[in-house]
Amino acid sequence: MSVTIKDISKQVGVSYSTVAKALNNSPLVKEETKRKVVEAAASLGYRPNLAARSLVTKRTGLVGIVWPSVERAALSSLVTSIQRRLATKGLTALLSIHEPQEAIQTFERLRVDAILMFEESAFRMTAVDQLPTVPVLTIGTPLREHVPAVDMNRRAAIKLAVAKLVENGHTRIAYVGPYIDESMQQREKWIGYQEALQAAGIPLADELLLDSEGLQWQNGYHAAKRLLAMPERPTAVISGSYDLASGILRAFQGEGIAIPHDIAIVSYDHIPHMEQLDIPLSAVGVPEAKLADAVTATLLQAIEDASSLPTRTLLVPEYVHRESD
DNA sequence: ATTCGTGTGCCACCCCTCAC
DNA sequence: GTGAGGGGTGGCACACGAAT
């Protein structure tokens, strides 16, 4: 049998309501009684029953995160950052690897206070799929127009990368990323690349816009091999993501390409992992810490008062220089 | 209808101070 | 010495959702 506040009340010799107040540091209980209650709770190994607490408070302190099926280091890193921030606010993050609709149903049964999902999951849902009754926040483009979202300006990020490379004298700049029809975020990057070249007065060479056909490192590796097979190689490459960049790096290193001397690289995904690659990569994007801060703050606001949420927060990307360009 | 565990509004009781 | 007044403290009762 687990320890409840009634066991504590017996041990201390006060009513269980006094125990509840003492454990919640109520000013209505004198310090001496609080001390006795807290000590008894610790000695008995008391752990609050969250299900019972949620009956009263209407909150469980749980946040459900729908994990997108795409395996990407940037997402793991971001989710870890968000989880740490939620924990400091007394919230517990639950991760589901089920299909989005199933994950949402499970989270609703668990009475989570809010649900966080990624655009990758959102666009796998159909128009007839039920939206949760609890607040939902999407990272990226939301699954429905009025669903709150924290988004990154990906177009501006890639423009920033192109501008930095042009500034360093590059004119033959390739872009590697997947062209996924329904993914606004990938399409935005392609548009950013094209618009930035146009703005710099550099004619667009079709062969330098490479569809990686996926977001995993292998996709980056194969795209890089195609780049290296070109009669006239690019002098710089922009990668659409961290994982693609690590594949590109692997392909370049395998062919003895010196970075940035032979080919410079700038990658999307402003995450700490970029620093730890064999060659620390220059990156563009919203810094992970800033994104995690914004997501956490929005989730807390959603739990407090969902009606006060802005529909879309668009975060501004930054460029960080390392050793690859 | 009852049970589970918890949070909390309301109220009773205790005890101290002060006026008579 | 006695009683009124008031602040501090803690207990009662109820609410909650789901299962039985």
Side-chain angles (χ1 to χ4, degrees):
Chain A
M1 276 295 278
S2 57
V3 178
T4 71
I5 55 171
K6 292 187 180 175
D7 298 310
I8 301 171
S9 76
K10 258 186 237 161
Q11 173 142 331
V12 179
V14 294
S15 76
Y16 56 82
S17 59
T18 300
V19 172
K21 283 173 187 162
L23 291 175
N24 288 301
N25 200 21
S26 164
L28 300 174
V29 180
K30 65 177 177 184
E31 290 305 317
E32 175 63 12
T33 310
K34 278 185 201 170
R35 188 185 56 75
K36 284 184 189 163
V37 167
V38 169
E39 282 176 8
S43 74
L44 291 169
Y46 169 74
R47 294 279 180 280
N49 182 324
L50 298 183
R53 178 181 286 172
S54 70
L55 283 176
V56 178
T57 60
K58 300 285 177 205
R59 296 210 182 140
T60 55
L62 301 175
V63 173
I65 302 178
V66 183
W67 186 250
S69 64
V70 190
E71 292 297 331
R72 286 172 58 199
L75 296 185
S76 313
S77 182
L78 175 62
V79 166
T80 305
S81 291
I82 293 169
Q83 179 272 324
R84 289 201 183 114
R85 283 163 173 76
L86 290 174
T88 65
K89 303 291 179 188
L91 296 169
T92 302
L94 297 179
L95 213 55
S96 172
I97 57 170
H98 287 113
E99 281 299 306
Q101 190 62 22
E102 202 183 336
I104 287 171
Q105 284 171 6
T106 303
F107 286 146
E108 289 205 289
R109 281 201 295 273
L110 289 168
R111 298 288 190 271
V112 297
D113 294 335
I115 293 176
L116 176 65
M117 58 197 305
F118 291 85
E119 183 186 85
E120 287 88 342
S121 300
F123 72 63
R124 295 216 319 277
M125 293 180 71
T126 67
V128 293
D129 282 338
Q130 288 280 310
L131 276 179
T133 51
V134 296
V136 195
L137 177 67
T138 308
I139 298 180
T141 310
L143 71 164
R144 302 276 202 284
E145 211 170 292
H146 58 280
V147 172
V150 173
D151 206 352
M152 290 79 55
N153 193 335
R154 296 181 177 84
R155 189 186 297 201
I158 301 300
K159 282 182 168 180
L160 198 53
V162 172
K164 285 288 171 187
L165 291 168
V166 170
E167 208 176 288
N168 292 340
H170 295 280
T171 53
R172 198 162 164 74
I173 304 166
Y175 176 81
V176 174
Y179 189 83
I180 307 168
D181 266 351
E182 65 269 40
S183 171
M184 188 53 117
Q185 64 187 17
Q186 301 306 334
R187 218 176 318 149
E188 277 289 297
K189 293 177 192 171
W190 283 56
I191 296 169
Y193 169 74
Q194 291 165 325
E195 284 184 355
L197 285 184
Q198 197 175 17
I202 299 171
L204 180 69
D206 285 341
E207 77 273 15
L208 293 181
L209 187 47
L210 279 91
D211 184 358
S212 63
E213 295 168 357
L215 277 165
Q216 300 191 20
W217 75 264
Q218 294 91 335
N219 302 115
Y221 182 87
H222 293 306
K225 287 281 189 185
R226 276 155 52 204
L227 279 177
L228 294 176
M230 288 177 184
E232 192 190 348
R233 289 175 176 173
T235 60
V237 179
I238 296 169
S239 164
S241 79
Y242 165 81
D243 294 282
L244 289 174
S246 69
I248 293 168
L249 203 55
R250 197 179 293 200
F252 283 3
Q253 287 177 319
E255 299 273 335
I257 302 290
I259 300 163
H261 182 266
D262 297 336
I263 302 180
I265 307 177
V266 176
S267 180
Y268 183 80
D269 276 336
H270 198 317
I271 59 173
H273 287 59
M274 292 289 190
E275 183 82 56
Q276 281 124 42
L277 289 167
D278 290 346
I279 295 167
L281 292 190
S282 299
V284 288
V286 175
E288 183 188 282
K290 277 194 182 173
L291 180 54
D293 282 342
V295 169
T296 307
T298 312
L299 275 174
L300 291 172
Q301 195 184 340
I303 292 169
E304 265 325 301
D305 178 15
S307 65
S308 72
L309 277 187
T311 314
R312 189 174 182 226
T313 308
L314 189 61
L315 301 175
V316 180
E318 296 172 20
Y319 161 84
V320 56
H321 176 71
R322 295 203 181 90
E323 295 170 25
S324 64
D325 75 326

